[in-house]
Amino acid sequence: MGFIFNALLFALFILLVDRYVWAGIRSLLPLKKPILYRTIAVIYWGFTVLILIVILSSVFIPREYLPHGARSLFFTVVGIPMLGKLLTVFFLSLDDMRRGILWLVKAFAGKTRAKKEATVPNEITPPVPNTISRSEFMTKTAVATGLGMAGTMLFGIVSGAHDYRVRRVKLPLKNLPRKFDGMRILQLSDIHTGSFYNPRAVKGGVDMAMNEKADLIVFTGDLVNEETEEARDYIPIFSKLTAPLGVYSVLGNHDYGDYKVWSSAREKEKNLEDMLAAHKALGWDLLMDENRGITVEGESIGLIGVQNWGGGRFAKYGDLDKALQRADDYPVKILLSHDPSHWDLKVRPEHPEVDLMLAGHTHGMQFGVELPGFRWSPAQYNYKHWAGLYQEGAQYLYVNRGFGYIGYPGRVGILPEITVLELVKA
């Protein structure tokens, strides 16, 4: 009942927002053209009805009957228009507040003005041609800004969701064995198969990754959104990922089934068992708080993998001390850990022997700006390390921007990433 009440409350909120925005739009429409006015009104309120239908459907249709991409569909139909309208509301409310303050000022100053007008002759201010009132300017700005935001988000779905980019990074490591000088590691992260709606585009991204001909491939977590079943149709696609030195993986916070309401504890346990089986079907060596020696012509480096361990509200399943057992002899240690907050909270303070940590998790919030010398994303307000390469002393952290997406089914500015890291001897 609580969920139904919240959904109805959300629907009421949408109606109030739509009514407020419509008042602004209506003030800009040519009333002398009733056909145009009615057409825009039908489109505007028709879309509102569609949004309400989607909300009610999410309440009354059992979740097991909804497709895996329902969350992305919900965001597209409800979230994107709502973001644009909320931005419009912000600017409209600024103008309403301005007019309210002016009204108060005039109300308090009314008596003084009346006395002044009784003694001073009326001055006629000549009209200024081709001017626009402040209110009309603010209303047009509000509507244009809202439409611009909605248009940008839609463009991010059509153009950005599968606009895969290969990012190449050289990493100098002091103790790197000679046989590994020039070794290329390909990293993928945050695939989120439950959000995909275009298998052909996903296959294109996998083909791009294979064209890099990396020596080793690693995946740093979040294969799904809520349950292992989401990965079923994409196992044949991602099983094409192969490398001479193998493909290794770890789990992310979404891979444990923590974000789904299960009918029993056993059902959730079965989901995790299925996840382990899925990694095996993919041909990936899943590291569960353990390490592997990667050997080339008699020389070795250590690949360490932990289960998800994150700061704040995120699950702490991983045991780094356990993962590092019997890894002392490796001259270089590379850690796979999904959440980059692990680096500052555990890895650097307690394990300076870890040379490089590879992470993902943040997606760069799938929204931002990256230019030479400047980059910004809302992710930076939640994460100190949110995308790209970081260094503290002799230790490195690389945060992959993610291959997939969740919630918002697109990307603006922060594009899906395939990382190629080349190890070189310092």
Side-chain angles (χ1 to χ4, degrees), residues 222-349:
D222 277 1
L223 180 64
V224 299
N225 296 343
E226 295 182 349
E227 59 180 323
T228 304
E229 175 65 18
E230 297 166 7
R232 181 184 60 184
D233 294 338
Y234 288 90
I235 287 176
I237 295 176
F238 286 99
S239 64
K240 302 297 182 184
L241 291 168
T242 57
L245 297 178
V247 182
Y248 298 85
S249 59
V250 292
L251 299 180
N253 56 297
H254 282 267
D255 293 326
Y256 295 89
D258 290 344
Y259 303 113
K260 180 183 170 81
V261 178
W262 301 94
S263 60
S264 66
R266 175 57 195 147
E267 190 179 14
K268 184 179 179 183
E269 290 172 7
K270 177 65 166 55
N271 177 74
L272 183 57
E273 292 169 4
D274 291 342
M275 175 60 67
L276 306 186
H279 280 253
K280 187 174 182 180
L282 286 163
W284 300 355
D285 188 352
L286 179 62
L287 303 179
M288 302 282 284
D289 301 330
E290 52 193 324
N291 62 76
R292 300 281 188 272
I294 307 299
T295 303
V296 176
E297 297 182 23
E299 295 184 323
S300 299
I301 62 173
L303 190 66
I304 295 95
V306 296
Q307 297 188 67
N308 189 76
W309 197 101
R313 62 186 176 86
F314 291 104
K316 296 173 174 58
Y317 291 105
D319 186 338
L320 183 54
D321 292 328
K322 178 183 176 182
L324 284 165
Q325 288 177 4
R326 296 180 295 279
D328 293 341
D329 293 338
Y330 298 124
V332 165
K333 299 175 182 63
I334 299 173
L335 171 65
L336 309 183
S337 181
H338 178 69
D339 192 321
S341 63
H342 197 188
W343 197 53
D344 261 354
L345 294 173
K346 278 280 185 181
V347 178
R348 287 202 312 109

Side-chain angles (χ1 to χ4, degrees), residues 323-385:
L324 284 165
Q325 288 177 4
R326 296 180 295 279
D328 293 341
D329 293 338
Y330 298 124
V332 165
K333 299 175 182 63
I334 299 173
L335 171 65
L336 309 183
S337 181
H338 178 69
D339 192 321
S341 63
H342 197 188
W343 197 53
D344 261 354
L345 294 173
K346 278 280 185 181
V347 178
R348 287 202 312 109
E350 300 178 15
H351 295 283
E353 72 273 22
V354 174
D355 299 277
L356 168 65
M357 173 174 151
L358 302 179
H361 182 60
T362 73
H363 301 208
M365 288 288 283
Q366 299 168 210
F367 186 91
V369 178
E370 291 197 89
L371 300 171
F374 174 80
R375 64 179 192 167
W376 172 89
S377 166
Q380 69 192 55
Y381 304 116
N382 287 328
Y383 296 95
K384 178 181 176 182
H385 310 103

Side-chain angles (χ1 to χ4, degrees), residues 89 130 138 276:
V89 166
N130 300 322
M138 288 295 291
L276 306 186

